[in-house]
Amino acid sequence: EEQWMSDWTMLAKRYSKMPHVVAFDLRNEIRPRKTYWPTFQNPKIASEDPRGTSNWARASLEVARRLSKASPNVLFVVERLVWPQRGLSDMAAIPGALLPALNGRVVLGMHMYHWSGPGRFVPRWSEPPTLHWLFRGLRCLRIISPKNYGDMNSEALRQQMDMEFGHVLKSGKCPVWVSEFGADLSNAEEMDWLERFADLMAEFDADWAYWPLNVGPKPGSEGAEELYGFLSPDWRPKSERDPRLDLMARMGLSPPPDAPEEELGKEPLRPLRSRSKEQSEASLRSLFGSKDPLLAVKSAGDVRGALAWVPHQIKSGLRKVQTAQSSLVGLATGRDMATETLRKSSSASPLLSLPPEGPHDMSRITEEDLSPLSNIH
């Protein structure tokens, strides 16, 4: 952490006299990694977790204070935690961890994709193919988020976006920047979602940044092609009109007033290829593997060891194991496997609660309530 702050201080001093550098995005997508489980707690009232949990609120506030000395006018983009993914209420609270200390200086950042979602979301491409039945059961029981953003119709997505950041914009407490979203042109489900999302972003009048501009091999993704980019492989504009640009126009994108009339793009761009659902999931798994919220568990030496960390981080509700068993057994697929899996649990203690319907902020439960998870063999 000290090295991270020292690096930022060096950058702030280096660019302090450059007027085009207006903000620092302090850290991208803070997510769990094995024993690293970030939290966001007001440092004035929170104590550090002896198990190694790191307080993102304390770290971002401290680095902002240091950077203010080198760059007194710069803005600080503080992104929300990626998993569990909560709304911005706590981050925008007054008094709170960031405000009023950084009043006029902080911008709250967040990312939204078709495959991501609120709370303890799990992308469909992250699920092992042989365990789809299990994840359907976990969604039914709300152990993981029942719906990702791409599963929501326009009204449900509107309510979710209002709960997560719309109310902060309306209150005027601080700016909000949806600094990542995107879609694959050849993925019909993602494009349908992007259209709904673009209309709602225009409705909320939210600031945004599309990810990404470029195409080609994506760094850190085993040579996977960047599916969301706008440019041709030679980094020149495509000759066909990209319908995603039309959606960006709904959100306020427009050329500079003195730009020459665009000769390209008279014909809409058709999908370059069509892929089956399985192919799409495989491509997304390769492309976004580093964003997998289950990476901490998947990378563990043994699953039981990983589950020992889960009770401290997954903030679930209460339900008897017997109730979970009877519900999972009722699934059309994986019935026998679900029964056998739950029989292996030695605990009959509460495991899960069902939060009310509506926008999901599934994140508040005590660690004591979750102790039965550590007994699963």
Side-chain angles (χ1 to χ4, degrees):
E1 181 179 294
E2 186 59 37
Q3 183 63 56
W4 167 69
M5 292 190 183
S6 176
D7 291 345
W8 260 122
T9 302
M10 177 272 294
L11 290 171
K13 291 178 179 178
R14 180 173 182 175
Y15 296 104
S16 61
K17 299 186 183 301
M18 299 189 68
H20 294 97
V21 178
V22 298
F24 300 149
D25 192 335
L26 299 179
R27 191 162 181 96
N28 182 61
E29 295 189 349
I30 304 92
R31 59 168 57 83
R33 284 292 186 272
K34 291 191 175 182
T35 55
Y36 169 70
W37 293 94
T39 61
F40 191 91
Q41 305 173 56
N42 190 333
K44 294 181 180 179
I45 59 177
S47 59
E48 290 302 305
D49 193 312
R51 291 184 303 273
T53 301
S54 297
N55 188 354
W56 173 228
R58 177 196 54 74
S60 57
L61 183 61
E62 175 60 24
V63 75
R65 285 172 172 165
R66 295 190 191 187
L67 300 183
S68 292
K69 298 177 181 178
S71 299
N73 299 315
V74 78
L75 299 174
F76 302 110
V77 179
V78 181
E79 295 188 14
R80 66 175 176 177
L81 301 181
V82 168
W83 204 90
Q85 194 151 254
R86 299 170 57 178
L88 303 182
S89 297
D90 290 347
M91 300 180 72
I94 302 177
L98 303 178
L99 298 171
L102 297 179
N103 190 39
R105 303 288 301 280
V106 68
V107 177
L108 301 183
M110 56 184 294
H111 300 170
M112 296 184 73
Y113 289 96
H114 167 273
W115 46 263
S116 65
R120 298 179 299 277
F121 74 91
V122 176
R124 299 300 195 275
W125 50 258
S126 174
E127 301 173 12
T130 57
L131 294 178
H132 283 321
W133 62 270
L134 177 59
F135 284 89
R136 282 196 295 270
L138 296 177
R139 286 189 174 88
C140 288
L141 296 171
R142 296 177 184 270
I143 294 176
I144 60 177
S145 300
K147 289 186 177 182
N148 293 339
Y149 297 132
D151 301 321
M152 301 177 185
N153 60 29
S154 292
E155 183 54 34
L157 187 59
R158 175 186 287 107
Q159 293 180 26
Q160 189 66 39
M161 292 169 68
D162 187 60
M163 188 278 289
E164 292 191 12
F165 69 87
H167 67 287
V168 176
L169 289 175
K170 294 173 186 175
S171 71
K173 293 179 179 178
C174 63
V176 173
W177 186 34
V178 183
S179 53
E180 273 194 36
F181 66 93
D184 174 11
L185 183 62
S186 64
N187 187 316
E189 290 184 354
E190 289 197 350
M191 288 300 295
D192 288 345
W193 174 80
L194 183 62
E195 184 168 9
R196 299 195 299 273
F197 176 79
D199 288 339
L200 292 172
M201 286 289 286
E203 183 178 312
F204 282 104
D205 193 22
D207 293 315
W208 52 272
Y210 182 92
W211 177 268
L213 178 67
N214 62 289
V215 294
K218 185 178 178 68
S221 297
E222 302 178 356
E225 291 292 313
E226 176 56 76
L227 304 176
Y228 290 7
F230 277 113
L231 299 178
S232 297
D234 60 0
W235 283 67
R236 297 175 62 84
K238 295 176 180 176
S239 59
E240 305 90 348
R241 188 178 78 247
D242 192 319
R244 293 173 296 186
L245 287 174
D246 295 334
L247 296 179
M248 300 304 100
R250 299 185 192 180
M251 301 166 59
L253 178 68
S254 59
D258 57 347
E261 183 176 350
E262 181 59 65
E263 293 295 332
L264 300 176
K266 294 183 178 180
E267 294 296 327
L269 178 65
R270 294 182 174 85
L272 300 179
R273 59 195 179 282
S274 60
R275 296 192 303 274
S276 66
K277 181 178 180 181
E278 291 74 17
Q279 289 173 322
S280 294
E281 288 184 351
S283 296
L284 290 171
R285 190 179 302 114
S286 176
L287 187 64
F288 294 113
S290 62
K291 297 175 180 281
D292 188 350
L294 297 182
L295 193 60
V297 173
K298 290 179 176 179
S299 61
D302 66 278
V303 175
R304 186 175 180 180
L307 287 173
W309 305 324
V310 173
H312 307 307
Q313 305 304 323
I314 296 184
K315 300 171 182 174
S316 245
L318 308 174
R319 187 65 128 183
K320 296 293 182 181
V321 169
Q322 295 93 329
T323 303
Q325 178 175 342
S326 62
S327 298
L328 278 179
V329 169
L331 292 173
T333 305
R335 178 175 305 167
D336 294 336
M337 296 178 69
T339 305
E340 182 60 27
T341 299
L342 288 167
R343 279 177 181 162
K344 292 181 179 180
S345 173
S346 60
S347 171
S349 303
L351 178 64
L352 172 72
S353 72
L354 303 182
E357 290 293 334
H360 304 292
D361 190 3
M362 302 159 55
S363 53
R364 305 179 184 275
I365 278 254
T366 65
E367 161 187 319
E368 187 176 78
D369 295 329
L370 295 161
S371 58
L373 284 175
S374 62
N375 295 325
I376 296 177
H377 295 279

